[in-house]
Each structure stands twice: as C-alpha cells, then as structure tokens.
Amino acid sequence: MKIDIIGSGVSGLCCAHAFLERACEVRVISASDALDSSCCSWWAGGMLAPGCEGESAEPLIAALGVESMKFWQALTPNYTRAGTLVLATSRDRPLLDNFARNTQGWQKLASTQMQDLEPDLAERFNSGLLFADEAHLDPRQSLGQLIEQLKSRGVEFTQRVIDDGPGNEYSSVADWIIDCRGLGAAHQLPDLRGVKGEMLHIHSTEISLSRPVRLLHPRIPLYIVPRANGVFMIGATMIESTERSRASVRSVLELLSAAYALHPAFGEAEIIEIGVDARPAFNDNLPRLRRRGKTLSVNGMYRHGFLAAPAMARRCVEFALDGIIPKEVMDENTP
Amino acid sequence: MSLNLYGSEFTSRFLIGSAQYPSPAILLDAIAASRAGIVTVSLRREAGKDGAGQQFWSLIKQSGARLLPNTAGCKTVKEAVNTAHMARELFATPWIKLEVIGEDDTLQPDVFALVEAARILCAEGFQVFPYTTDDLVVADKLLAAGCEVLMPWGAPIGSGRGLNNPFALRALRAHFPDTALIVDAGIGLPSQAAAAMELGYDAILLNTAVAKAGNPVAMASAFAQAIAAGRSAFHAGAIAPRDMACPSTPVPGSPFWHSGGGQ
C-alpha cells in the first residue's frame, strides 16, 4: 500500500514509522529538506510527563502518553527515565498543594531525598513532588534518529511546500495521504488555532540537573530540561496567538527570571538560542484524527507532540489498514 | 434590579476573566456555567502583529458575553493608555478595564498612575473600569477623573484570600452609594463572593478561582449561585448580630412553656 505523509515534524515522522512497520511504501513530503526550525517539534521540550500534564490536560493525554513512552524508549538511546521534579518557592508553596491535588503518581520529597536527587537544588528547595515514572528525551536528536532510520529503510523524502491555497490541493496516486502539517493545515481545519510558545537554550557548567524540573508560579510556570554537555532547555510561554516569530523581551525576561529563581547559577549561563513557534491546537487542546476521502489528518498536538504522536500514529495506521475507528480521537470520518 | 454599567444593563452580577483555563473549550463551558454577561480579555501579549490573537477572541465572543478588554501587565500611564487605544481598535468598544500595576509582589495598583491614566482615557471618551485599592480618597479622585464604575480589590490578584479589609470595603460602599462598585481580585471562594455582595457590592469580577479550580465549570456555577445569593441577602435586609441566644419560636403562649428545654 502506498502512503504519502505530508509534514516531517514529530507527528509525520511517527506516522511514517508506523506505516513502514506495516510494510507500506512510505513517502514523506515536507516543506524543508532537513530537520530544522521550520516545524514546532524542533523547539519542543521533550518531556514525557503524562502525570504532570494531567494537572491541566484531559485524562486522554496521559493514556496516549504512557503508550508513546514505550515507543520512544525502544527508539532512542537518549530516552532517560529519571522522573520529573516539581518545585515551588516558599512564597508559592500553596501552588504545590494545588498541583498535588490535581495530579496523580507523585511522591512528596523530604529534604534528604532532595539532596540525593538534585544536590544543586537541595540547598534552596527542601521539598517537592517527584513523578518517578516520567522521562525525557532530546527532541532534535530523537527526530534525527527517526529520519535516519526511515531513510535507511527506504522511505523517500521529498521537499515541497503544500500550502492549501485554492487550486493547489494536494493530489496523489497514494492509497492514503496522511496530513501532519500542524498549523500549515489551518486552511483545511478552520477550528485549529495557534498557541505561541517561546523558549531558550542556555549553557552552564556551574549547575547540573538529572531530570526535568518544573517551577510553579502563578503567572510564569517554567520548566528546565537538562540536555547533554551542560545545555538546558528553558520553556515555555503559552500565548493565545498564531504568531510564529518574534520572541518578546517580556517573555524571555520572565523565563530567565524564573530560571534565576530556581538557581542563581543560571544568572551566569550563556544564552545559546532563543526560539519561538506556535503549537497547533483544537479548542479542547486534544489531538484529532480526521478522515476526508483518502486524506487522514493527524493534528492538534498542542504542547503534547512527543507525548501523543506515537500513540496517534498507531491509531492512524490501524484506521487506514484495519478499519479500526479510534473513537477517542476521531471526530470526522467522511469517505 | 439589573446591573447598570455605563448605561448597559446586565442581569448577571458576575464578571469572569478568560485567562489560565486548561483549554478554550473549558473556558467556554465555564463562561456558560457562570452565566456572566461580561468577560474580561487581556491583549497585551496576545495582540502580536496583524491580530494574531483574533482567533482566541472570536472564540470568547461565541459565548455571547460582552468583552471587557483590560490593560493587564501595564506598569506605566503611557503603556496603559496605548494598550487601551489598541483595545478600542481591536474590539470596537469604548470599555476598558484599567490596570496599572505598581508593585510586582502584590500586583497592587499604582494608584497615582491609575488616576492619571483614567483622566486621560475618560477625556478621550473611554468608559473606564479602574482596578483600584479600597482607598476612599483614590476612589474619589477616580470619580473626579470621570470613572462611573470602581473596581476595588478584595485581596491581591490571584491570592484567593477573600476580603482582606471588609471595614474599608464597607466604608467605600457607604461613601459612594450611587456608584457601581465591583470587587475585583483576590476572591478564592464562593462564600467570599457572597460576603462582598452582602456588603452591597454591585458585582464580582474573578478569574483564577475558577480557572485554576479542579473543576472550573463546577466552580463557575458555584460562584454564580453565591453571587446571586449574596445579592438577594443584601436586599432581604439582614438581622443585626447579638451576643445572646434568642429563641426563634415565640415563647409566650407556647404550650411547652413549663416543660423545660428539650422535651
């Protein structure tokens, strides 16, 4: 069976992998010929944190997340299962209680445990919540590995921009067209919106972290994800806007102040990169599978690209090849 | 009697904020459950270029509620005035909730800048809803600047502490019996909203207590009931508290007069 996949973000690549596993002939068409900043997966945090996300996400996300984590664990050597640490400064302590009340799968840490887990933070934070089952990965490395694997197994990558303009509808002899363009498909999916996010990469040798840390704050919730070689990813703002460029001074200032509040050593860190993009999301912030003819669109990953994409890809393949309708994510099935 | 704000009538006395909800879908459900006639929206960050936040705002408009744009996050007169101009253009409304923050820890208003910004905006034809403290003198200056509505805080924004100073809020109500007074900020529980309404306040504006609740939709409904209850109680005329017990059953003529208590 011939499958065309449009889009090479985390969603497109996971779909390509899933169809390949079922012995389909897969082609990936994307706007860029390399893995780069043109897709918002490039800017992802790479936290696989179904428990923490449960604070504001529907239970479906946790279910998809647990399933997806197995995929990443098998695929990428940089998958690290070290849990997530959730902290609050003493003045924001009530937020930690709120967070605990609205989530599951955590354990409360005493100061001796903090010392064992994150010695650099123990002096400043004597309590927190540990979500021990959670993991993280490096998104760019993982996507790179996925592309390499797909190419070595014969998947063809074609560069072409498909912009949905009138008269420019994509047509193909493929049996299924899998549309994974994210906000690039906004013309076809008018209920898709953008949620702008800004992030930074910084470098410091003065502090080390073994796991993602979330610092709760009433207005500026922050996470820091450790990457290899002293690099940290700091993210991310959530602004109701389709704007995909223009990181604002205020956002960067807030993110960096929060990092500084986590540990003053971040004050001396080097800023490597400031990134900005918009996440594709539907109104309930849940992903969707939609069929229109032989086009299947997989979209609306919101801030859960890495957490949801492998599980969504499996549903997409099972629908296309086995006719199994995934009721929990499919809201249109027009033959 | 309905709530009158700058000549517009509203049956609900609940104004709800639109930030921090788990999703827009839950926001819309919460607005419906709150039965609020007015929804505040911030535009400082969402505005972006070329109306990049339009999509979110049109979504809120679907609720049917009237939008009250705010100047949240502004710290100077100029910033607040510019944001108000942007809001008038984007939302085609003279309404503006004026916030000029003077202190980062408490997010309390810079009342001097607030009065100045209010004066400028009222003169330009804006209908200003100033977020202020419970200070009587500041309230008086805001009215002199042209405001017809005042929005004193209950407690610092997002703190959920309720009415920090009921005495000052009562004094404000007594001094300005004919001005629309809305308690804005600091409300955490429906009982606190009811307490403000029992003091005779005209309406309640809140956001965090609903958006960050475990179940925002259920909490919106709880607040709607509390606000309505508080208003009814205010009109019904409360009894004065007293120290000694006072039997609710009329004692003279009671057939159990001689039988002692509890028999």
Side-chain angles (χ1 to χ4, degrees):
Chain A
M1 192 171 272
K2 280 185 193 259
I3 308 291
D4 278 2
I5 290 173
I6 316 180
S8 62
V10 67
S11 194
L13 295 177
C14 286
C15 284
H17 185 275
F19 277 103
L20 194 64
E21 288 287 298
R22 293 286 301 269
C24 295
E25 192 183 319
V26 179
R27 188 163 73 122
V28 176
I29 298 111
S30 68
S32 168
D33 66 343
L35 174 63
D36 63 19
S37 61
S38 61
C39 68
C40 65
S41 307
W42 178 257
W43 304 109
M47 288 182 301
L48 302 169
C52 287
E53 288 301 312
E55 196 244 345
S56 56
E58 301 284 332
L60 173 65
I61 293 299
L64 297 174
V66 170
E67 195 182 316
S68 297
M69 285 168 80
K70 293 180 191 139
F71 170 85
W72 293 116
Q73 189 169 17
L75 179 95
T76 172
N78 73 62
Y79 177 96
T80 310
R81 182 180 171 276
T84 306
L85 186 59
V86 181
L87 303 173
T89 59
S90 54
R91 50 178 281 176
D92 291 329
R93 189 64 54 81
L95 295 178
L96 204 58
D97 300 332
N98 275 356
F99 198 90
R101 206 185 59 218
N102 293 329
T103 52
Q104 290 169 345
W106 45 264
Q107 59 187 96
K108 265 210 167 92
L109 295 180
S111 63
T112 51
Q113 293 164 300
M114 280 292 294
Q115 183 67 43
D116 293 340
L117 285 168
E118 297 291 356
D120 283 349
L121 297 179
E123 208 180 312
R124 304 175 53 77
F125 296 88
N126 55 22
S127 68
L129 302 173
L130 177 71
F131 290 74
D133 294 332
E134 300 188 339
H136 65 285
L137 51 72
D138 182 320
R140 296 179 190 178
Q141 270 189 28
S142 305
L143 294 177
Q145 281 154 357
L146 199 45
I147 289 175
E148 237 169 74
Q149 201 191 104
L150 293 171
K151 281 184 174 167
S152 71
R153 292 171 67 184
V155 173
E156 184 195 328
F157 281 73
T158 306
Q159 187 187 358
R160 184 183 151 189
V161 177
I162 293 158
D163 62 6
D164 268 349
N168 193 26
E169 283 83 19
Y170 183 71
S171 63
S172 161
V173 294
D175 297 286
W176 288 101
I177 298 165
I178 314 298
D179 185 351
C180 301
R181 285 175 298 163
L183 279 178
H187 286 285
Q188 310 256 296
L189 306 170
D191 52 343
L192 199 65
R193 74 186 208 284
V195 182
K196 181 178 172 181
E198 292 137 307
M199 58 78 81
L200 293 105
H201 275 120
I202 61 172
H203 177 263
S204 171
T205 50
E206 284 183 54
I207 178 170
S208 71
L209 298 176
S210 305
R211 55 187 56 72
V213 174
R214 293 182 182 224
L215 181 65
L216 304 180
H217 185 277
R219 283 168 298 124
I220 316 160
L222 165 102
Y223 57 78
I224 295 195
V225 190
R227 306 266 195 249
N229 305 319
V231 173
F232 298 86
M233 185 272 191
I234 303 179
T237 52
M238 303 274 286
I239 300 170
E240 288 290 343
S241 167
T242 52
E243 199 173 56
R244 302 184 66 176
S245 59
R246 212 182 61 94
S248 75
V249 169
R250 177 191 299 234
S251 294
V252 172
L253 196 62
E254 286 179 352
L255 290 173
L256 289 177
S257 320
Y260 186 66
L262 188 70
H263 200 290
F266 284 120
E268 292 302 319
E270 175 193 358
I271 295 174
I272 301 173
E273 179 180 43
I274 298 174
V276 55
D277 208 331
R279 314 161 178 93
F282 293 108
N283 285 348
D284 54 8
N285 293 339
L286 293 175
R288 296 273 195 291
L289 185 62
R290 278 182 189 166
R291 178 200 182 182
R292 286 173 194 166
K294 65 172 184 174
T295 299
L296 274 175
S297 78
V298 184
N299 215 322
M301 296 291 166
Y302 184 48
R303 55 182 270 163
H304 302 126
F306 281 80
L307 199 57
M312 287 298 287
R314 181 175 74 79
R315 283 159 179 74
C316 181
V317 169
E318 287 179 355
F319 175 78
L321 304 185
D322 308 325
I324 299 171
I325 295 173
K327 288 198 185 73
E328 71 280 21
V329 293
M330 190 153 193
D331 67 349
E332 183 176 340
N333 183 6
T334 314
Chain B
M1 231 175 68
S2 59
L3 173 68
N4 186 314
L5 300 171
Y6 288 106
S8 298
E9 302 278 337
F10 298 89
T11 48
S12 165
R13 293 177 176 269
F14 190 175
L15 292 78
I16 194 164
S18 58
Q20 300 183 12
Y21 290 79
S23 72
I26 292 176
L27 162 64
L28 284 182
D29 288 348
I31 294 173
S34 74
R35 299 192 293 275
I38 299 166
V39 177
T40 61
V41 287
S42 76
L43 75 160
R44 192 82 189 94
R45 310 191 74 177
E46 279 77 7
K49 279 182 179 156
D50 311 320
Q54 266 315 337
Q55 213 171 352
F56 180 63
W57 298 325
S58 4
L59 207 90
I60 301 176
K61 280 182 200 154
Q62 283 174 22
S63 69
R66 176 148 179 189
L67 298 194
L68 172 57
N70 69 30
T71 64
C74 291
K75 292 185 172 179
T76 63
V77 173
K78 190 175 174 193
E79 225 183 336
V81 169
N82 286 345
T83 305
H85 288 161
M86 207 165 27
R88 182 160 63 179
E89 203 172 303
L90 278 165
F91 297 104
T93 172
W95 277 22
I96 188 76
K97 181 191 163 189
L98 185 60
E99 271 185 56
V100 189
I101 298 300
E103 218 284 323
D104 275 338
D105 272 348
T106 56
L107 294 178
Q108 78 188 80
D110 174 344
V111 292
F112 302 95
L114 179 73
V115 171
E116 175 63 11
R119 194 186 53 74
I120 295 169
L121 292 171
C122 288
E124 289 179 2
F126 280 92
Q127 294 173 338
V128 177
F129 295 66
Y131 164 60
T132 181
T133 63
D134 47 31
D135 190 288
L136 273 181
V137 181
V138 173
D140 204 30
K141 306 253 180 223
L142 286 167
L143 295 180
C147 298
E148 292 177 22
V149 176
L150 296 177
M151 305 216 288
W153 65 356
I157 294 175
S159 67
R161 302 194 65 85
L163 309 181
N164 258 358
N165 192 347
F167 169 79
L169 290 172
R170 195 176 283 123
L172 204 61
R173 178 72 285 177
H175 271 72
F176 305 107
D178 302 320
T179 303
L181 296 181
I182 301 172
V183 168
D184 174 10
I187 300 286
L189 288 169
S191 53
Q192 297 160 349
M197 295 304 291
E198 286 163 10
L199 290 178
Y201 274 73
D202 294 282
I204 304 290
L205 196 168
L206 58 89
N207 190 154
T208 312
V210 167
K212 291 302 220 183
N215 182 340
V217 180
M219 193 56 92
S221 162
F223 270 107
Q225 295 171 58
I227 290 166
R231 183 67 183 175
S232 302
F234 171 67
H235 279 309
I239 60 160
R242 43 175 285 154
D243 290 338
M244 295 301 151
C246 176
S248 51
T249 310
V251 176
S254 158
F256 304 109
W257 172 245
H258 295 294
S259 60
Q263 287 181 33

